[in-house]
Amino acid sequence: MKHKTFPLLSVAGALLAGCGLLQAADWYVAPAGSDAGAGSLEKPFATVQRAQQAANPGDTVQIRGGTYRMKNSDISKSKGPYASLTFLDKSGTKDKPITYRAYRDEKPVFDCTDVKPPGKRVSVFSVTGSWLRLVGLEVTGVQVTITDHTQSICFHNNGSNNIYERLLMHDTQAIGIYSVEGSNNLFLNCDAWNNWDSTSEGGRGGNSDGFGCHPPKGSTGNVFRGCRAWFNSDDGFDCINARESVTFENCWAFYNGFTPDMKKRADGNGFKAGGFGKTPASELPSTIPRHTVRNCVAVGNKAAGFYANHQPGGGDWLNNSAYRNSVNYNMLCRLIDEVTDVDGYGHKLVNNLSYGSRWDILKYDASKCQASGNSFTTGLKLTDKDFVSLDDKELLRPRKPNGDLPDMGFLRPAPRSAIVTQGIGAFGK
Ligand code: CA
Ligand code: CA
């Protein structure tokens, strides 16, 4: 059959495209741009905030590389305790999300060193919209100005169905990602490191987690995948106030609770998957959430690699690897009807690996947990020879081009090790 053309349809298509109805638009932002510009590649906007105004569902905001030196005058919204620099409250849709992404392989860096709103917590990207994607952005230098209890935040999620991907949050006084509202958010292949609040409460840094997820009742389906957290002054991953289940998978947490020169800071757990340690029984969630931590790695954290943190019920700990944490697995629970700590109950521990710590597992009531295939519950005797490498610097290898975690020999089982034949740990299969 000969090729046919449909002139009327072509004209209609061109018209629709011209109106932006057929094709999603790209908007551009650049450090030397102007918000009075057109938002085009040639005349980019200066701020993501201006780009949000222009963007419709389905559109992509292309953020050019370079340093965006943020100032107090960039604060878009000041509400409650927070001063938000970029406030993303416009939603996409299921079929047409709005994407805010690094342009090609460029590296946009949001340097917030100069943002010091008196008496306010800084929230760099405050997201209340849904069906949004944030990809490839870097945040650094975030300050804390308040000296009593407080926190600042790099990425603050209050929306649903958002994807936060390949974000870098480092050398700030803030929490990397802090999600406190909304369902079905995915935090994918993000890195948070060297975050320490050296200002508030005597500079202990007790709130500076790499990743925090504290959904209220009804906010379900939040997942962290492929994220790394290291040298954060508090915990790597923390869901202490989560009233719904949170999932952590393929995530790595190392040397949290320490500075890069190994000074001790605050809590220092790799995965703090639990909470309510001091909550009166009457204020506990009606259904205690059961968190899942699987295929995760915890190394050298100041306190526990994997910590149930007083949760009044068990969690699912599957195929994780812990090495040289003060305690590799701390399963501490509390009673549900009174604030009394007890050895962990209700946990499911399957195929977890523990090596190199004086304490494989503590605060654990084996008679009230389901455990199988763990190196420490089967009595498996491991030696250095069971591993291809024990060089933890490999944790910092560069990610793959698509953002996935790097391959490494570290903690990978040697070919004939029982770790492989028994399928133990994050790399045992
Ligand atoms: Ca803390
Ligand atoms: Ca914490």
Side-chain angles (χ1 to χ4, degrees):
M1 196 170 134
K2 279 190 86 176
H3 177 69
K4 286 186 184 176
T5 55
F6 299 94
L8 280 173
L9 283 178
S10 299
V11 168
L15 282 171
L16 287 168
C19 301
L21 293 172
L22 199 64
Q23 248 182 335
D26 279 352
W27 304 95
Y28 291 83
V29 179
S34 162
D35 281 351
S40 60
L41 181 59
E42 299 75 21
K43 293 191 171 170
F45 296 134
T47 68
V48 176
Q49 197 64 38
R50 175 64 185 87
Q52 174 184 246
Q53 217 180 319
N56 290 307
D59 290 357
T60 298
V61 174
Q62 304 278 6
I63 304 171
R64 301 297 307 269
T67 300
Y68 296 78
R69 200 159 291 285
M70 307 301 281
K71 304 174 296 294
N72 279 6
S73 57
D74 288 313
I75 292 169
S76 302
K77 180 130 184 154
S78 208
K79 188 185 171 195
Y82 286 102
S84 300
L85 283 162
T86 300
F87 191 76
L88 299 179
D89 58 346
K90 186 189 268 187
S91 294
T93 66
K94 186 175 197 296
D95 297 327
K96 293 183 173 181
I98 302 175
T99 300
Y100 297 87
R101 63 169 307 134
Y103 176 65
R104 299 189 176 168
D105 58 355
E106 296 184 2
K107 294 180 172 30
V109 180
F110 294 82
D111 184 338
C112 303
T113 310
D114 298 335
V115 178
K116 296 178 180 175
K120 287 286 188 179
R121 302 176 171 198
V122 179
S123 177
V124 181
F125 284 87
S126 188
V127 179
T128 62
S130 296
W131 301 109
L132 303 180
R133 292 180 180 162
L134 281 72
V135 186
L137 311 180
E138 180 170 344
V139 170
T140 191
V142 186
Q143 302 291 305
V144 165
T145 63
I146 298 165
T147 53
D148 56 2
H149 186 73
T150 188
Q151 62 192 16
S152 288
I153 298 165
C154 298
F155 293 90
H156 192 170
N157 179 67
N158 287 268
S160 293
N161 302 296
N162 295 322
I163 299 177
Y164 295 79
E165 182 176 358
R166 279 186 276 152
L167 305 177
L168 306 175
M169 304 140 285
H170 66 98
D171 298 285
T172 80
Q173 296 199 49
I175 300 167
I177 287 177
Y178 187 70
S179 183
V180 285
E181 183 88 59
S183 297
N184 304 321
N185 296 290
L186 173 62
F187 307 93
L188 178 66
N189 293 342
C190 297
D191 284 340
W193 73 99
N194 294 4
N195 298 299
W196 165 39
D197 171 0
S198 56
T199 302
S200 77
E201 297 177 303
R204 185 170 169 269
N207 279 334
S208 311
D209 296 322
F211 300 89
C213 190
H214 313 282
K217 183 84 187 154
S219 288
T220 59
N222 292 297
V223 176
F224 291 76
R225 183 181 300 145
C227 296
R228 286 186 296 199
W230 68 99
F231 289 135
N232 298 293
S233 61
D234 208 47
D235 306 301
F237 298 81
D238 188 339
C239 58
I240 185 171
N241 294 317
R243 300 178 87 87
E244 295 283 3
S245 302
V246 178
T247 298
F248 303 94
E249 57 188 22
N250 299 337
C251 292
W252 300 352
F254 41 107
Y255 295 106
N256 294 290
F258 291 109
T259 63
D261 55 358
M262 297 307 285
K263 282 198 190 73
K264 287 184 178 179
R265 292 298 177 210
D267 292 357
N269 297 285
F271 295 83
K272 182 182 272 179
F276 304 109
K278 291 178 183 150
T279 306
S282 60
E283 293 171 24
L284 290 175
S286 52
T287 304
I288 303 299
R290 191 174 178 89
H291 305 304
T292 298
V293 185
R294 63 178 166 232
N295 286 103
C296 290
V297 172
V299 175
N301 293 290
K302 190 191 116 188
F306 297 93
Y307 184 31
N309 192 32
H310 311 267
Q311 186 82 344
D316 293 325
W317 314 83
L318 315 170
N319 279 96
N320 301 297
S321 291
Y323 177 61
R324 283 197 175 173
N325 303 282
S326 287
V327 180
N328 277 346
Y329 297 83
N330 183 335
M331 295 289 105
L332 180 69
C333 285
R334 57 163 280 186
L335 297 177
I336 198 163
D337 52 356
E338 59 174 289
V339 184
T340 302
D341 284 342
V342 293
D343 286 348
Y345 61 89
H347 294 298
K348 182 176 177 185
L349 287 145
V350 178
N351 291 359
N352 296 291
L353 180 130
S354 172
Y355 190 58
S357 173
R358 185 176 167 201
W359 306 105
D360 288 326
I361 187 163
L362 285 182
K363 303 292 178 186
Y364 166 64
D365 186 340
S367 71
K368 292 180 182 161
C369 293
Q370 181 191 339
S372 64
N374 307 288
S375 66
F376 47 90
T377 54
T378 57
L380 186 67
K381 293 278 178 269
L382 298 170
T383 73
D384 288 4
K385 291 201 176 81
D386 281 295
F387 301 95
V388 172
S389 160
L390 287 173
D391 178 5
D392 60 10
K393 287 193 291 296
E394 295 180 20
L395 291 162
L396 287 174
R397 283 181 174 173
R399 289 175 173 275
K400 295 180 181 177
N402 70 354
D404 283 353
L405 288 166
D407 293 326
M408 55 178 188
F410 177 62
L411 292 184
R412 187 165 291 280
R416 280 174 300 282
S417 167
I419 302 169
V420 185
T421 53
Q422 297 179 27
I424 301 173
F427 309 112
K429 309 182 272 192

Short mmCIF file of all heavy atoms in Angstrom, two decimals, residues 294-320:
data_model
loop_
_atom_site.label_atom_id
_atom_site.label_comp_id
_atom_site.label_asym_id
_atom_site.label_seq_id
_atom_site.Cartn_x
_atom_site.Cartn_y
_atom_site.Cartn_z
N ARG A 294 14.50 -4.53 53.67
CA ARG A 294 14.99 -5.71 52.96
C ARG A 294 16.11 -5.36 51.99
O ARG A 294 16.14 -4.27 51.40
CB ARG A 294 13.85 -6.41 52.22
CG ARG A 294 13.18 -5.60 51.15
CD ARG A 294 12.09 -6.41 50.45
NE ARG A 294 11.24 -5.54 49.67
CZ ARG A 294 9.90 -5.51 49.75
NH1 ARG A 294 9.26 -6.29 50.58
NH2 ARG A 294 9.22 -4.66 49.00
N ASN A 295 17.04 -6.29 51.87
CA ASN A 295 18.20 -6.11 50.98
C ASN A 295 18.96 -4.82 51.29
O ASN A 295 19.49 -4.18 50.39
CB ASN A 295 17.76 -6.11 49.51
CG ASN A 295 17.41 -7.52 49.03
OD1 ASN A 295 16.24 -7.84 48.93
ND2 ASN A 295 18.43 -8.34 48.82
N CYS A 296 18.99 -4.45 52.53
CA CYS A 296 19.69 -3.23 52.93
C CYS A 296 21.03 -3.57 53.58
O CYS A 296 21.25 -4.69 54.04
CB CYS A 296 18.83 -2.40 53.88
SG CYS A 296 17.40 -1.66 53.05
N VAL A 297 21.91 -2.58 53.61
CA VAL A 297 23.27 -2.76 54.13
C VAL A 297 23.51 -1.68 55.19
O VAL A 297 23.24 -0.50 54.95
CB VAL A 297 24.31 -2.62 52.99
CG1 VAL A 297 25.72 -2.62 53.55
CG2 VAL A 297 24.14 -3.74 51.97
N ALA A 298 24.02 -2.09 56.35
CA ALA A 298 24.37 -1.13 57.41
C ALA A 298 25.79 -1.43 57.87
O ALA A 298 26.10 -2.56 58.25
CB ALA A 298 23.39 -1.24 58.57
N VAL A 299 26.63 -0.41 57.84
CA VAL A 299 28.06 -0.60 58.13
C VAL A 299 28.57 0.52 59.03
O VAL A 299 28.36 1.71 58.73
CB VAL A 299 28.87 -0.61 56.82
CG1 VAL A 299 30.37 -0.69 57.11
CG2 VAL A 299 28.45 -1.76 55.92
N GLY A 300 29.23 0.16 60.11
CA GLY A 300 29.98 1.14 60.91
C GLY A 300 29.16 2.23 61.55
O GLY A 300 29.70 3.28 61.92
N ASN A 301 27.86 2.03 61.69
CA ASN A 301 27.06 3.07 62.33
C ASN A 301 27.36 3.12 63.82
O ASN A 301 27.67 2.11 64.45
CB ASN A 301 25.58 2.83 62.07
CG ASN A 301 25.25 3.01 60.59
OD1 ASN A 301 25.27 4.12 60.07
ND2 ASN A 301 25.00 1.90 59.89
N LYS A 302 27.23 4.33 64.38
CA LYS A 302 27.62 4.55 65.78
C LYS A 302 26.83 3.66 66.73
O LYS A 302 27.37 3.14 67.70
CB LYS A 302 27.40 6.02 66.14
CG LYS A 302 27.99 6.40 67.48
CD LYS A 302 27.53 7.78 67.92
CE LYS A 302 26.71 7.65 69.19
NZ LYS A 302 26.07 8.91 69.59
N ALA A 303 25.54 3.48 66.46
CA ALA A 303 24.71 2.65 67.33
C ALA A 303 24.36 1.34 66.61
O ALA A 303 25.23 0.58 66.26
CB ALA A 303 23.48 3.43 67.77
N ALA A 304 23.08 1.12 66.36
CA ALA A 304 22.69 -0.14 65.70
C ALA A 304 22.68 0.01 64.18
O ALA A 304 22.35 1.08 63.65
CB ALA A 304 21.29 -0.54 66.17
N GLY A 305 23.01 -1.05 63.50
CA GLY A 305 22.83 -1.06 62.05
C GLY A 305 21.34 -1.06 61.72
O GLY A 305 20.86 -0.23 60.96
N PHE A 306 20.64 -2.00 62.34
CA PHE A 306 19.19 -2.13 62.16
C PHE A 306 18.54 -2.08 63.53
O PHE A 306 18.88 -2.84 64.42
CB PHE A 306 18.87 -3.45 61.45
CG PHE A 306 19.46 -3.51 60.06
CD1 PHE A 306 20.72 -4.08 59.85
CD2 PHE A 306 18.78 -2.98 58.98
CE1 PHE A 306 21.28 -4.12 58.57
CE2 PHE A 306 19.34 -3.02 57.69
CZ PHE A 306 20.59 -3.58 57.50
N TYR A 307 17.61 -1.14 63.71
CA TYR A 307 17.10 -0.84 65.04
C TYR A 307 15.57 -0.74 65.03
O TYR A 307 15.01 0.04 64.26
CB TYR A 307 17.71 0.49 65.50
CG TYR A 307 17.37 0.91 66.92
CD1 TYR A 307 17.15 -0.03 67.92
CD2 TYR A 307 17.32 2.26 67.26
CE1 TYR A 307 16.86 0.37 69.21
CE2 TYR A 307 17.04 2.67 68.54
CZ TYR A 307 16.81 1.72 69.52
OH TYR A 307 16.53 2.11 70.80
N ALA A 308 14.94 -1.51 65.90
CA ALA A 308 13.47 -1.47 65.99
C ALA A 308 12.98 -0.30 66.86
O ALA A 308 11.78 0.01 66.84
CB ALA A 308 12.93 -2.79 66.53
N ASN A 309 13.89 0.31 67.63
CA ASN A 309 13.60 1.58 68.32
C ASN A 309 12.30 1.59 69.13
O ASN A 309 11.47 2.47 68.98
CB ASN A 309 13.58 2.72 67.28
CG ASN A 309 13.57 4.09 67.92
OD1 ASN A 309 14.15 4.28 68.98
ND2 ASN A 309 12.92 5.05 67.28
N HIS A 310 12.11 0.62 69.97
CA HIS A 310 10.98 0.57 70.91
C HIS A 310 9.63 0.27 70.27
O HIS A 310 8.60 0.31 70.95
CB HIS A 310 10.82 1.89 71.71
CG HIS A 310 12.06 2.42 72.34
ND1 HIS A 310 12.42 2.13 73.63
CD2 HIS A 310 13.05 3.23 71.85
CE1 HIS A 310 13.55 2.75 73.93
NE2 HIS A 310 13.97 3.41 72.86
N GLN A 311 9.57 0.03 68.99
CA GLN A 311 8.27 -0.17 68.32
C GLN A 311 7.40 -1.15 69.12
O GLN A 311 7.86 -2.20 69.55
CB GLN A 311 8.52 -0.73 66.90
CG GLN A 311 7.27 -0.84 66.04
CD GLN A 311 6.88 0.47 65.38
OE1 GLN A 311 7.33 1.54 65.76
NE2 GLN A 311 6.02 0.39 64.38
N PRO A 312 6.12 -0.78 69.31
CA PRO A 312 5.23 -1.69 70.07
C PRO A 312 4.71 -2.83 69.18
O PRO A 312 3.51 -3.11 69.11
CB PRO A 312 4.10 -0.78 70.53
CG PRO A 312 4.15 0.41 69.63
CD PRO A 312 5.50 0.51 69.02
N GLY A 313 5.61 -3.49 68.50
CA GLY A 313 5.25 -4.58 67.59
C GLY A 313 6.44 -4.86 66.69
O GLY A 313 7.41 -4.10 66.69
N GLY A 314 6.35 -5.93 65.91
CA GLY A 314 7.51 -6.36 65.13
C GLY A 314 7.58 -5.75 63.75
O GLY A 314 6.68 -5.05 63.30
N GLY A 315 8.69 -6.04 63.09
CA GLY A 315 8.89 -5.61 61.71
C GLY A 315 9.42 -6.77 60.89
O GLY A 315 9.75 -7.84 61.41
N ASP A 316 9.49 -6.52 59.57
CA ASP A 316 10.03 -7.53 58.66
C ASP A 316 11.43 -7.13 58.25
O ASP A 316 11.62 -6.06 57.64
CB ASP A 316 9.13 -7.66 57.43
CG ASP A 316 7.76 -8.23 57.79
OD1 ASP A 316 7.70 -9.09 58.69
OD2 ASP A 316 6.76 -7.80 57.19
N TRP A 317 12.41 -7.96 58.60
CA TRP A 317 13.83 -7.71 58.32
C TRP A 317 14.31 -8.85 57.44
O TRP A 317 14.46 -9.98 57.92
CB TRP A 317 14.62 -7.65 59.62
CG TRP A 317 13.97 -6.81 60.70
CD1 TRP A 317 12.98 -7.20 61.56
CD2 TRP A 317 14.25 -5.44 61.01
NE1 TRP A 317 12.63 -6.15 62.40
CE2 TRP A 317 13.40 -5.06 62.09
CE3 TRP A 317 15.13 -4.48 60.49
CZ2 TRP A 317 13.41 -3.78 62.64
CZ3 TRP A 317 15.14 -3.21 61.06
CH2 TRP A 317 14.30 -2.87 62.12
N LEU A 318 14.53 -8.57 56.17
CA LEU A 318 14.75 -9.65 55.21
C LEU A 318 16.00 -9.41 54.37
O LEU A 318 16.13 -8.35 53.74
CB LEU A 318 13.53 -9.74 54.27
CG LEU A 318 12.15 -9.67 54.96
CD1 LEU A 318 11.04 -9.52 53.91
CD2 LEU A 318 11.90 -10.91 55.81
N ASN A 319 16.90 -10.39 54.37
CA ASN A 319 18.09 -10.32 53.50
C ASN A 319 18.90 -9.03 53.66
O ASN A 319 19.32 -8.42 52.68
CB ASN A 319 17.68 -10.48 52.03
CG ASN A 319 17.48 -11.95 51.68
OD1 ASN A 319 16.35 -12.43 51.70
ND2 ASN A 319 18.57 -12.65 51.39
N ASN A 320 19.10 -8.62 54.88
CA ASN A 320 19.96 -7.46 55.12
C ASN A 320 21.37 -7.91 55.51
O ASN A 320 21.57 -9.04 55.96
CB ASN A 320 19.37 -6.61 56.24
CG ASN A 320 17.97 -6.14 55.90
OD1 ASN A 320 17.80 -5.39 54.93
ND2 ASN A 320 16.97 -6.58 56.64
#
